[in-house]
Amino acid sequence: MKWVVGVAVLGLAATACGSSDSGSKDKGNATSGGGGGSNNGLPAGYYSAYSTEPQNPIQPANSNETGGFYPLQLMFRGLYTYDSKTGQPVAAMAQSVDSTDSINYTVKIKPGWTFHNGEPVTAKSYVDAWNWGALSTNKQINASWFEKIEGFDALHPKDGAPTAKELTGLKVVDDTTFTIKLVQAYSSFKASLGYVVYSPLPQEFYKDPAKFGEAPIGNGPFQLDTANGGWNHKKSLTVKKFDKYAGDDKAKSNGVQLQYYTTYDAGYTALRDNKLDVIDQIPTSAIGSFKKDLGERAIEAPQFSIQKIGFPLYDAGWGKPGVEKVRQGLSMAIDRASIVKAIYKGAEQPATDWLAPNIPGYSKDITGDLTKYDPVKAKQLVKDGGGIPGGKLTIATNADGPHKEWVTAVCNSINEVIGQGSCEPKLYPEFSVARKDITAKKMTGAYRTGWRADYPFPDNFLSDVYLTGAASNDSGYSSATFDDLAKRAAAASDPTQAIQLWQDAEKQMAKDVPSIPLWYYVTKGGYSTHVSNVMIDPYGNPVWTEVTVK
């Protein structure tokens, strides 16, 4: 589950299905493009793409936002990837992942894979990496992804020092086989194994993890291109094709340079001028014109994502009993339909669920009155809850993403209902800076917090974000009722029963309101005349290996 710079937690802060459709000639999996041109100073066969500065060192268990996720997606491969059209799991290094009870798994990996330094990828490469990622003293932001594996509590206790360094639920059988034992049945576990947190690591990593985070060595289709700048902080990150890559999704380009712009407007201007090759989001200022600007190079397609407003429930004001009524009232003060129509030209769909459409269990009415515009009830609820903590709601967002306009519109809607001066935007200069305050739980007001799926299950939108102590639980939300329902849902073998339990868990969220669902995103992207075969998958990520440079 990754927070997205443009979508949000993709909120201000993100990690994380639908079929392609479009109002333009391109349907999200474009295969056509314009004429050629210069490569803007890049080596021959390379292309450039919009991104943002990673929040943390580039380590598989240390990223849950797009800035760090994109480099990991380029340079690492785990047991699975996800189909670029359907979003469903596709075997990468996995020869087989078998279980008869969704608790005990036997994993066999394909032989012949190597890391970029030539070291063979073995079962031990996986087990050692997962153990290291789970250990609390290593301070990995996604450590809780390993809590499903037996022995996690000893490596990552809630209090005090760890009493072990290896998960008892992981065992190396031989070079190509290892076993996994979970603490309970998880029906979605196998599908989640395509997330980058489950990537293998070479032995070189353990010599100096911090140094490795600056110049990672993976096993993916691209490797860090140090000769052309490598990771040039605050500016770019460049990778080149790994010629000995053993996977099926081999790169069709010679390399990629992720370029860090201060705003999506600046990135889009560069793209329109053929100075940037791929952009994964269109700024709100260009939504009405990008199809005309780009023609067949415009991309519009469904995306497994949701935009939300999160609250710091660890804050004394926002976390005290009764303030959930204020959060309920604020949600009802937002005229989603009018905002979507004005800013997104009606392409986005107002949210009625914390799940995105096409994720199993999605409902058009699970949130009930919470997401319905009701000025009278909204004002009364805010009053009944004791008023907005501190007297004013601030909604933090990152200036380098396309969000200022809609945050301003949300505040205007709240001000019209609750009273002028009740809400105002709070701008951070860039996504990584905002994420640091959010993950460090330093927020005193609300924040933009969108989410792009990492795998197509309810768990990713709910447990991975709202379960007590979850890696992406930035709000500090903790509900014994929600936790119990979510754990039972994850263990249920009957899909119908699982969905009912997930929906019951969401009904508890509708009472507590750890976040306000706003709307579901539609992918809007584009590419230059220098490249072709550009696709953006249902998770909102460019399909890096398919891009062809003219």
Side-chain angles (χ1 to χ4, degrees), residues 134-152:
L135 191 63
S136 62
T137 50
N138 292 328
K139 303 184 186 313
Q140 296 293 281
I141 196 170
N142 275 341
S144 67
W145 277 73
F146 302 104
E147 68 181 353
K148 298 172 183 176
I149 302 173
E150 184 183 79
F152 179 80

Side-chain angles (χ1 to χ4, degrees), residues 428-485:
Y428 278 80
E430 58 188 69
F431 188 54
S432 60
V433 176
R435 284 298 303 156
K436 285 179 181 178
D437 277 0
I438 291 167
T439 55
K441 294 186 167 47
K442 293 181 178 180
M443 306 301 287
T444 56
Y447 50 91
R448 175 185 75 82
T449 175
W451 189 254
R452 281 183 187 171
D454 300 305
Y455 57 98
F457 274 76
D459 316 40
N460 190 228
F461 284 83
L462 301 175
S463 288
D464 293 343
V465 185
Y466 299 106
L467 199 70
T468 300
S472 294
N473 187 346
D474 295 328
S475 67
Y477 177 58
S478 181
S479 164
T481 301
F482 174 86
D483 289 355
D484 176 65
L485 289 165

Side-chain angles (χ1 to χ4, degrees), residues 94-173:
Q95 187 74 52
S96 62
V97 178
D98 296 325
S99 177
T100 58
D101 57 7
S102 295
I103 296 177
N104 296 284
Y105 291 82
T106 297
V107 178
K108 290 185 178 295
I109 63 172
K110 298 173 183 177
W113 283 60
T114 65
F115 289 103
H116 300 149
N117 63 354
E119 178 187 326
V121 184
T122 66
K124 187 175 186 298
S125 307
Y126 280 90
V127 171
D128 287 353
W130 297 8
N131 282 329
W132 195 90
L135 191 63
S136 62
T137 50
N138 292 328
K139 303 184 186 313
Q140 296 293 281
I141 196 170
N142 275 341
S144 67
W145 277 73
F146 302 104
E147 68 181 353
K148 298 172 183 176
I149 302 173
E150 184 183 79
F152 179 80
D153 289 345
L155 274 74
H156 207 108
K158 293 181 179 178
D159 299 299
T163 57
K165 290 187 177 181
E166 296 181 356
L167 294 161
T168 56
L170 295 179
K171 302 290 183 186
V172 174
V173 178

Side-chain angles (χ1 to χ4, degrees), residues 523-548:
T523 290
K524 300 180 191 69
Y527 54 97
S528 76
T529 62
H530 299 152
V531 293
S532 63
N533 203 40
V534 178
M535 297 179 277
I536 296 180
D537 67 22
Y539 299 96
N541 308 311
V543 185
W544 307 106
T545 54
E546 288 297 305
V547 178
T548 301

